[in-house]
Amino acid sequence: MTSLWSLLMNPLLSVKPYSDDDNERGGIDVLWILTIFFGLGIWLVVQRYHRAHNSPLPFEINAPVPADPGWKGRPLENAHIRLHEEEPELLSHMAIPGQRYITSFDPATGMHLGTYIADSQDDIRKKIKRSKKAQAESWRYTNFTQRRRVIRSLMKWLVDNQDTCARVACRDTGKTLIDAALGEILTTCSKMEWLLEHGEKYLRPETRSTNFMLSYKKSQVHYEPLGVVAGIVSWNYPLHNAWSPILAAIFAGNGVILKCSENVIWSTTFFVGAIQECLNACGHDPSLVQVVCCYPEEAVALTSSPDIRHITFIGSETVGRKIAEAATKNLIPVTMELGGKDPAIILPGTDLNKWCGLWMRGVFQNMGQNCIGIERLIVHQDQYDELQEMLAKKIEKLRPGSVLAPTAEGYVNTIDCGAMISKDRFQALEQMLVDATEAGANLIGGTHYEPRQSTLTNGFYFTPTLVGPVYEGMDIANEELFAPIATLMPYENIDQAIEIANGTKYGLGASVFGPDQKLCVEVAKELECGMVSVNDFGVFYVNQDLPFGGTKASGYGRFGGPEGLRSLTNPKVIIVDRWPSLIQTTIPKVLDYPIRSLYYSWEFTSNLIRFLYADSFRTRLRGLVKLIQAARKN
């Protein structure tokens, strides 16, 4: 035993201090050195194992040529997605007779990006089957290490190629590079970071508490993949709106069908293509993820398919109602984000200079085409004039244009505001603004913008606008604008400000600004919405641990956070015996079929309930005694 102890403690015992008796200096023996190298070897093996299974894998996908700022495509006048029907030369010489197509173009310049085949209902069904096969045969059996590696590889690729991805998003939507960086890349990286660090925690089997009666049982919830899920998303953020539902779906073990907007088929094909390339590089079937782009009437093949187990929809209220109706055919659960009319309540005494820049970003980011953009600035009447003057000075300096439009000098344009996705709503917006001015509001801007640069004449631009005072009865105060329009709404007291904020049918996000944070929180609690930022704008979406969604006409359900991730799974309950060899459930004779005595069976049952749930110890004890008596007499 002494020898064994000496061997175990050798690295410590072998280090001998200086000895006065024998005048010898201690030394380090060989076993001590070997122990260090052995421990180092184990550490290196572990590190190599982790690198082999967790390090991101490289993959390549060629950047589309039109993403180059110097690219010059064919300019289209009055461009729209069906322009090929008017100008057949936009079709390839290999166009299929009877096949439907979609014309893709840059809304900032009108330049032709390509003409794509629109999926038919039969095409959609085939894509669902391919995803279902890949999910059922292999992906559902992957572990979290394998799934994290895919996410980690995508994150590295996105960070390394953010310039290309931002330019692709700009080319297809007309937004600015800064809007792409903030709304597309930053938020998507935040999503991936959360999945990598916390996703497994919320999908692992979870042990739940039990009660006294079932104390001999162990209860767990297992979060199993659903199968194939669908994401039907809007055009305003083609990278993030595509990647976000796909990332959550595949991390939960599902296959996914992404139905993109017809307006952004060019960029979505590239962005989802990157995910498919990543899956392939990581050794998985890329057909797990499918892109569908079709005309609205064909989408029923997706929304009513018995193979689709969940739908996430981001878009308008009108389309959302149609999707929900179609999904009822096979009882498909739907998560809906239907836009909003987000208010920013500015409490009395707020430092306007401090927050003015944030309000400008909240209103004009992505040209107001932002579901959680600030649509109503609700300000106390004592500060109304000051805020109006402050915003007017800033708005008049905003520079619309295209960051990718070619210039004679060869530099990239510095602009503040990009293009709108189309001009279809310009007339309605202008009419609402005219109505507001006729009701007494002052107006800056408020019409379509005609750029001087010749390359932008076919683009869709709307002048950055300020309108106010706006009151509750006006259409502009109640309809979602989705445009670069700042509306100022004065109030007399805080109760009225809350009433104005809650006065629309929408309830997505909101923000409250003021010098007293405690008061801001009290106001936030009174707002009818899904999310509120205090002294900030939209930050509840940057924190991907939070559920995202709204109430009222802004939709139902949540994506993002544990709630969103778990909604893409089947929460299966499994309950087992803690000590199966000692105790298991049996039916007492007094309750066994056929019932021998109704009297004693009732006595047993009622006293069991009394013993378990009575509000006093004495009553419980009396219930236990009668329970035993009833069991014996039977």
Side-chain angles (χ1 to χ4, degrees), residues 42-94:
I42 293 176
W43 182 81
L44 289 173
V45 169
V46 171
Q47 291 300 308
R48 178 172 292 183
Y49 175 86
H50 281 293
R51 284 196 299 271
H53 292 81
N54 294 285
S55 297
L57 292 176
F59 63 93
E60 293 184 2
I61 180 171
N62 294 328
V65 174
D68 189 319
W71 174 77
K72 294 181 181 180
R74 173 183 172 178
L76 305 177
E77 293 185 13
N78 299 315
H80 56 86
I81 61 174
R82 295 185 179 182
L83 187 62
H84 56 275
E85 296 174 2
E86 304 169 15
E87 301 180 20
E89 61 272 18
L90 295 177
L91 292 170
S92 164
H93 66 279
M94 299 182 66

Side-chain angles (χ1 to χ4, degrees), residues 144-341:
F144 288 113
T145 298
Q146 293 171 301
R147 297 175 195 175
R148 272 196 299 269
R149 190 171 206 181
V150 173
I151 304 297
R152 190 173 286 113
S153 300
L154 285 169
M155 189 170 183
K156 175 174 171 50
W157 179 86
L158 180 58
V159 172
D160 292 346
N161 294 274
Q162 57 181 300
D163 183 63
T164 296
C165 291
R167 285 188 277 110
V168 170
C170 291
R171 182 65 78 188
D172 214 10
T173 64
K175 67 179 60 180
T176 70
L177 284 171
I178 300 302
D179 287 347
L182 294 174
E184 305 273 16
I185 298 169
L186 179 69
T187 51
T188 305
C189 287
S190 178
K191 178 84 170 187
M192 290 188 282
E193 178 189 46
W194 182 82
L195 286 171
L196 291 171
E197 295 184 3
H198 305 288
E200 181 181 354
K201 174 175 62 177
Y202 292 113
L203 294 181
R204 285 198 304 257
E206 180 183 24
T207 300
R208 295 291 179 90
S209 62
T210 188
N211 52 32
F212 176 71
M213 182 172 64
L214 294 178
S215 57
Y216 65 99
K217 297 283 189 180
K218 182 179 180 180
S219 303
Q220 284 191 322
V221 179
H222 292 247
Y223 296 96
E224 297 182 339
L226 286 173
V228 179
V229 300
I232 303 174
V233 297
S234 58
W235 45 261
N236 53 336
Y237 291 100
L239 167 61
H240 181 73
N241 285 352
W243 275 35
S244 181
I246 291 175
L247 294 169
I250 64 176
F251 194 84
N254 299 306
V256 58
I257 311 296
L258 185 92
K259 194 277 180 191
C260 70
S261 165
E262 306 91 286
N263 292 297
V264 290
I265 183 173
W266 176 77
S267 58
T268 304
T269 300
F270 172 73
F271 292 137
V272 179
I275 294 179
Q276 292 170 333
E277 285 293 329
C278 180
L279 286 167
N280 187 59
C282 293
H284 306 293
D285 189 346
S287 60
L288 181 74
V289 178
Q290 297 286 326
V291 177
V292 164
C293 192
C294 63
Y295 286 99
E297 55 269 25
E298 310 296 339
V300 68
L302 179 64
T303 56
S304 63
S305 170
D307 291 324
I308 296 297
R309 305 302 302 276
H310 183 278
I311 297 173
T312 298
F313 174 70
I314 302 173
S316 70
E317 179 188 354
T318 302
V319 177
R321 291 181 183 276
K322 294 178 180 178
I323 290 173
E325 183 179 356
T328 60
K329 179 180 178 181
N330 289 295
L331 299 179
I332 304 172
V334 183
T335 294
M336 296 241 175
E337 191 266 275
L338 305 178
K341 188 73 177 172

Side-chain angles (χ1 to χ4, degrees), residues 281-479:
C282 293
H284 306 293
D285 189 346
S287 60
L288 181 74
V289 178
Q290 297 286 326
V291 177
V292 164
C293 192
C294 63
Y295 286 99
E297 55 269 25
E298 310 296 339
V300 68
L302 179 64
T303 56
S304 63
S305 170
D307 291 324
I308 296 297
R309 305 302 302 276
H310 183 278
I311 297 173
T312 298
F313 174 70
I314 302 173
S316 70
E317 179 188 354
T318 302
V319 177
R321 291 181 183 276
K322 294 178 180 178
I323 290 173
E325 183 179 356
T328 60
K329 179 180 178 181
N330 289 295
L331 299 179
I332 304 172
V334 183
T335 294
M336 296 241 175
E337 191 266 275
L338 305 178
K341 188 73 177 172
D342 287 15
I345 296 180
I346 303 168
L347 296 179
T350 299
D351 185 345
L352 302 183
N353 284 298
K354 182 178 182 180
W355 302 114
C356 189
L358 198 64
W359 298 329
M360 289 287 292
R361 172 61 60 181
V363 173
F364 295 106
Q365 178 167 310
N366 211 36
M367 285 300 279
Q369 300 168 127
N370 187 4
C371 59
I372 54 171
I374 296 176
E375 292 232 353
R376 294 175 293 160
L377 289 163
I378 304 172
V379 59
H380 192 269
Q381 59 187 11
D382 290 345
Q383 292 185 296
Y384 176 89
D385 291 338
E386 182 183 358
L387 180 59
Q388 185 182 44
E389 182 180 358
M390 194 177 298
L391 290 173
K393 290 179 180 179
K394 285 182 171 288
I395 289 171
E396 289 175 342
K397 296 178 181 179
L398 294 179
R399 296 159 293 184
S402 169
V403 72
L404 297 181
T407 61
E409 298 82 0
Y411 57 79
V412 175
N413 290 298
T414 300
I415 62 170
D416 302 298
C417 301
M420 304 281 282
I421 196 67
S422 76
K423 60 180 181 181
D424 293 346
R425 296 179 55 251
F426 281 13
Q427 185 175 353
L429 290 172
E430 290 172 347
Q431 185 59 54
M432 277 193 285
L433 290 166
V434 169
D435 292 343
T437 56
E438 290 178 352
N442 297 311
L443 182 66
I444 293 176
T447 185
H448 67 279
Y449 173 75
E450 296 181 359
R452 297 178 182 177
Q453 192 173 339
S454 60
T455 55
L456 304 182
T457 54
N458 294 321
F460 307 139
Y461 296 92
F462 198 87
T463 307
T465 299
L466 175 65
V467 58
V470 170
Y471 299 101
E472 293 178 82
M474 299 179 182
D475 288 343
I476 201 169
N478 295 283
E479 298 297 326

